[in-house]
Amino acid sequence: MRYDPDKLVEHFSNPPQDISLADIDLDRIPRHISCIMDGNGRWATSRGLSRTEGHKQGIVALRDVITTAVRLGVDVLSAYAFSTENWGRPQHEVNVLMHLFAKTFIDELPLLKRENVRVVFLGDISALPQKTRDVFEYGLKECEHHTGMVLALAVNYGARAELARAARTIAEQVSAGSLAVGDIDENAVAEHLYTAGLPDPELVIRTSGEMRVSNYLLWQIAYSEFYITELYWPDFDKWGMLRAIAAFQHRDRRFGGLSAE
Ligand code: IPE
Ligand code: IPE
Ligand code: MG
């Protein structure tokens, strides 16, 4: 149990009518919760604001979700921030996002330090603009000694690219003679993914109601439970997290076997 009971109760004070801390079993919090943060643009346009404002508000929501995950004692929180397909958006939006990623990492360093959060990136960050990469490298160093929750940020991430990359690395090891073909099993593949060493997500949350995976963690979500909410990401908060966890705890996870009951 890694959570601090006093901080946890305080964090969830003043609950809305439909959900409270009492609705979840603190002994069965998913170890790894993953968020597909979708709907920033629609949140903004529905208010007559620019998409940039939506992304800014999305960062505010992410901050709340990070703190909430820490309070709940989650081991890994991952979040899909930018897909390999998102390069296809207008250049201005891509630029805005790259700038916001760098700015946010710097702005949130005090939070990451205070909460002892270690950051890892999922995806090919070598393809990001130099300025963003420099900030990421600086930020990663600043938090590398942290021992608390892992925050895995998927930036320039695509599951198909990840699997192709794993296949390439494995093939290189085979041709170099350091890996036998017969030793390529599920663990060997998992070890070559960006998520190597992390548990698979038990719970995947997608906001804005879309019923799709959008090239996210295809290998790792083999047995994840999905929770889809109509809320746009900027409207998602700690109560949304509790609702998702409560729904997760009511699922009958069979893993291909038979129900435990
Ligand atoms: C999610 O919000 C953020 C990113 C993909 C970077 P969107 O920007 O996809 O918002 P919608 O889906 O257009 O509303
Ligand atoms: C998924 O959202 C990717 C991220 C949240 C970063 P998108 O908005 O890119 O997904 P699609 O286009 O609706 O599938
Ligand atoms: Mg979207």
Side-chain angles (χ1 to χ4, degrees):
M1 243 12 81
R2 280 213 315 226
Y3 60 82
D4 174 330
D6 294 335
K7 283 188 180 171
L8 180 68
V9 169
E10 201 206 318
H11 187 71
F12 287 105
S13 55
N14 302 319
Q17 280 194 335
D18 67 307
I19 190 86
S20 77
L21 195 54
D23 293 315
I24 62 163
D25 177 352
L26 291 170
D27 294 329
R28 290 197 303 125
I29 301 289
R31 283 183 70 197
H32 179 174
I33 299 180
S34 193
C35 297
I36 301 179
M37 310 186 285
D38 198 14
N40 291 351
R42 281 165 282 171
W43 179 90
T45 42
S46 70
R47 285 168 171 71
L49 301 170
S50 67
R51 291 180 60 85
T52 301
E53 288 307 313
H55 294 312
K56 286 186 180 165
Q57 207 53 42
I59 289 163
V60 175
L62 178 60
R63 189 187 304 142
D64 189 26
V65 166
I66 292 171
T67 311
T68 301
V70 170
R71 292 288 169 268
L72 288 166
V74 166
D75 290 333
V76 182
L77 174 73
S78 53
Y80 202 6
F82 192 88
S83 74
T84 47
E85 287 71 32
N86 287 149
W87 294 110
R89 293 190 179 194
Q91 191 60 44
H92 170 71
E93 180 161 345
V94 171
N95 292 346
V96 163
L97 286 167
M98 291 301 149
H99 169 75
L100 278 178
F101 293 154
K103 178 174 170 0
T104 305
F105 202 177
I106 296 294
D107 289 350
E108 301 308 330
L109 273 175
L111 166 79
L112 301 172
K113 289 183 181 186
R114 192 171 64 241
E115 302 297 348
N116 195 22
V117 173
R118 186 161 68 87
V119 176
V120 299
F121 284 101
L122 313 177
D124 180 12
I125 60 169
S126 75
L128 303 182
Q130 189 63 47
K131 237 172 135 181
T132 309
R133 277 166 61 185
D134 289 348
V135 170
F136 280 9
E137 271 153 35
Y138 168 76
L140 281 174
K141 279 225 176 66
E142 290 288 300
C143 334
E144 69 187 355
H145 58 283
H146 293 169
T147 53
M149 185 180 81
V150 173
L151 173 65
L153 296 169
V155 180
N156 191 24
Y157 175 86
R160 288 183 170 183
E162 177 184 45
L163 288 165
R165 172 178 170 271
R168 249 183 341 263
T169 323
I170 289 170
E172 277 163 13
Q173 293 185 353
V174 169
S175 63
S178 57
L179 182 67
V181 169
D183 288 338
I184 304 172
D185 56 10
E186 292 184 16
N187 286 333
V189 175
E191 273 168 27
H192 290 92
L193 302 178
Y194 290 115
T195 48
L198 301 179
D200 288 339
E202 287 166 88
L203 171 62
V204 175
I205 298 168
R206 183 162 186 157
T207 53
S208 89
E210 307 295 358
M211 299 282 182
R212 56 177 173 260
V213 178
S214 303
N215 200 14
Y216 190 50
L217 302 181
L218 295 180
W219 172 279
Q220 298 88 338
I221 60 176
Y223 271 103
S224 303
E225 295 294 329
F226 277 75
Y227 175 85
I228 311 243
T229 168
E230 294 295 326
L231 290 177
Y232 295 138
W233 177 256
D235 288 328
F236 191 73
D237 61 6
K238 55 184 153 191
W239 306 111
M241 287 274 279
L242 275 196
R243 290 185 195 100
I245 293 169
F248 168 85
Q249 292 184 340
H250 283 100
R251 304 276 175 87
D252 181 13
R253 301 188 78 197
R254 291 189 289 278
F255 299 99
L258 298 180
S259 178
E261 285 145 43

